[in-house]
Amino acid sequence: MIGLFRIRRFRTRLLLIILGLLVVALGTSFLLVSRANRTNAVSHIEDSLDNAMSVFWFSVELSQKRLAQGAEVVSADWPIRELYLQPELDRNTLRSNLYSYANRLQVPIVATFDIDGELLATTKDWLTNERSAPFQRLIERADEEGTDYATDFAYLDGELHVLMVVPLYAPRPNILAWFAVTLPFDDEFASQLKSSTQAEVTFIRGGEDTSQQILATTLDPQSAQSVAAQAPTMKITASHTGITTVNDEDFVTLLTPLRVLGGMSAQIALQRSLNAEMAPARELENIILLISIAALMLATIVATAVARGVSKPVQRLSAHTELIAQGDYQTRLTPNRSDEFGQLAESFNRMTDGLAERDKVRDLLDKNVSPEIAAQLMRDGAVLGGEEREVTILFADLRGFTSLSENLSPPELIELLNNYLERMSAEIERHGGVIDKFIGDAIMAVFGAPLKQEGDADNALRSALAMERALAKLNLELQASGRPKLGIGIGINTAHVVAGNIGSHRRLNYSVIGDGVNVAARLEALTRTPEYNTNILVSAATMNAAQGVYDAHDLGYVTVKGRQEPVSIFSIENTSSQS
């Protein structure tokens, strides 16, 4: 009776330990999931706010171009030129024309200035000559730089505007006067930006050490003031993202300073609600919590029922797993039970057969494609499609092989070709390149796909130089056996291409396509040109991307077949310091 009690007490302790560990595991998992959800939500919002800021700058640039084009068209109108050419300027008529131009351009302020920057007429009565300093600064800048227009941010009557000044020629290059237009950053502009980006928008006047004033916003006044009050606590020397609290709700806020004429300051705050972003994750967390509680209750019932009879089968399975991890696929489990452990043993045996077959397939795949491509195919599957990437493409072609093959038997020819390809491939892979394909005695290699590495352009250049040195060693061996030397031509180009699985659903090949591939192939063909007297031709794009120092010679521009725009090319030579 005492022994039975001790057994039960031991089982109870073991059950409590197991349940305690389960509670800790479930609680830790829940906290980690919750933290990961918040981190992912913040990261997603930050990305969306960066995109929203890009949309803002694109909108500003688009507005500036529209204002510049409209202002240039208006300044070229004959009626306004005729007014300026009259002995005495009729300012009332000029102002009437400005109202018409404001309607045409859909802007609130249109003004004209003489060549000295003095205000002549405007559509706003409060815009006097004394309050026209921002326009006058832009006129001075355009006059000094000799540009057809000047633009910048500035405050007018307490509001933030984009200003634009355009010269009125009579005729060019003689400037008769200056024509000015503006576009305000008001609530309407903020609402349009919000509709495009799904982010709350607030324009704030004032910097880190000055009082804050709301210029325009998509928020309610109280929320906007809360954002402005927290702005000084954030770094505004550059775009900065932080968490702000508005009406007890957390927002991810991107605060960016705006350069304003006259040394004044302004900021744009883009926000998205963290609570709204995490709402789906919160629902998932609640479901996980309920599932965890149910799992804990079920575990209590199951753990009470399961007491003995599991340790030995588990130990056998664990030992067999270690054998599999060590690569032993020959040993098999003997299913001596008819319950779930017996079925699991049979499943382990089938899994072992599958792993052995997979290793055979992978070994065969590694011999037919580059290891990087094989790993990607094993990981992602053979799916048609691709992505745009910047890569460096290398084409290498064997010179003198055709004449040599006439004097060799087929076995000797294959042996020589494999010897050459083995040495060239080794140098490419040693420098981080991926063999895309063998085209007869030619090699196409890619640096930067499927895996991006640091210094892909440098790796390609060093690989080409190493290939040249490797061929020199091979030629010494050929000479010793009485065979003629082989030559090589290498073309290298860096460009944006499409990289991915190309072909049909029955047969595909990982490769890169695009104009940049064609350029590399054409450069390799140009190495046959005697006037270049080089084995390696490299495009300017590759030289610009490379960081290393090379013995490079500028060969000027050349028009390659299939491409209208000429390509700047360089020759690369081996030196004793390069490896």
Side-chain angles (χ1 to χ4, degrees), residues 226-247:
S226 177
V227 173
Q230 297 176 69
T233 64
M234 302 176 66
K235 299 177 182 178
I236 60 171
T237 54
S239 295
H240 178 75
T241 304
I243 306 295
T244 56
T245 303
V246 179
N247 294 334

Side-chain angles (χ1 to χ4, degrees), residues 415-459:
E415 180 183 1
L416 175 60
L417 180 59
N418 287 340
N419 190 6
Y420 163 78
L421 293 176
E422 177 70 25
R423 301 191 186 199
M424 299 302 105
S425 300
E427 295 301 334
I428 291 172
E429 293 175 349
R430 185 169 70 89
H431 289 86
V434 173
I435 304 297
D436 185 284
K437 61 177 66 71
F438 295 109
I439 313 168
D441 57 6
I443 303 173
M444 175 181 171
V446 181
F447 294 79
L451 299 177
K452 183 71 175 176
Q453 299 186 39
E454 289 294 330
D456 286 320
D458 287 296
N459 290 338

Side-chain angles (χ1 to χ4, degrees), residues 50-159:
D50 287 337
N51 293 333
M53 185 58 65
S54 298
V55 171
F56 166 72
W57 288 118
F58 177 76
S59 301
V60 171
E61 183 180 356
L62 196 63
S63 299
Q64 289 174 333
K65 290 181 179 179
R66 181 179 67 83
L67 290 178
Q69 293 171 354
E72 288 175 356
V73 171
V74 169
S75 66
D77 282 355
W78 174 249
I80 195 168
R81 290 192 180 201
E82 188 177 15
L83 280 174
Y84 282 109
L85 293 174
Q86 291 178 0
E88 184 175 351
L89 181 63
D90 186 349
R91 295 182 180 240
N92 290 330
T93 303
L94 178 60
R95 183 174 184 180
S96 177
N97 286 341
L98 295 186
Y99 281 113
S100 174
Y101 294 148
N103 290 330
R104 286 172 58 183
L105 298 177
Q106 297 181 343
V107 295
I109 301 176
V110 179
T112 60
F113 298 82
D114 63 17
I115 58 175
D116 296 323
E118 294 295 322
L119 180 66
L120 298 176
T122 180
T123 57
K124 296 295 183 181
D125 293 334
W126 54 263
L127 184 59
T128 62
N129 193 65
E130 290 74 15
R131 304 178 72 177
S132 302
F135 292 107
Q136 292 161 354
R137 289 192 182 94
L138 285 181
I139 291 172
E140 291 175 1
R141 182 194 301 173
D143 194 28
E144 292 174 357
E145 298 175 355
T147 58
D148 284 339
Y149 69 89
T151 180
D152 213 331
F153 298 127
Y155 285 112
L156 293 177
D157 197 30
E159 295 183 352

Side-chain angles (χ1 to χ4, degrees), residues 285-303:
E285 290 174 9
N286 292 334
I287 294 175
I288 292 175
L289 183 60
L290 292 176
I291 293 176
S292 299
I293 294 174
L296 185 60
M297 296 175 62
L298 181 61
T300 303
I301 297 174
V302 172

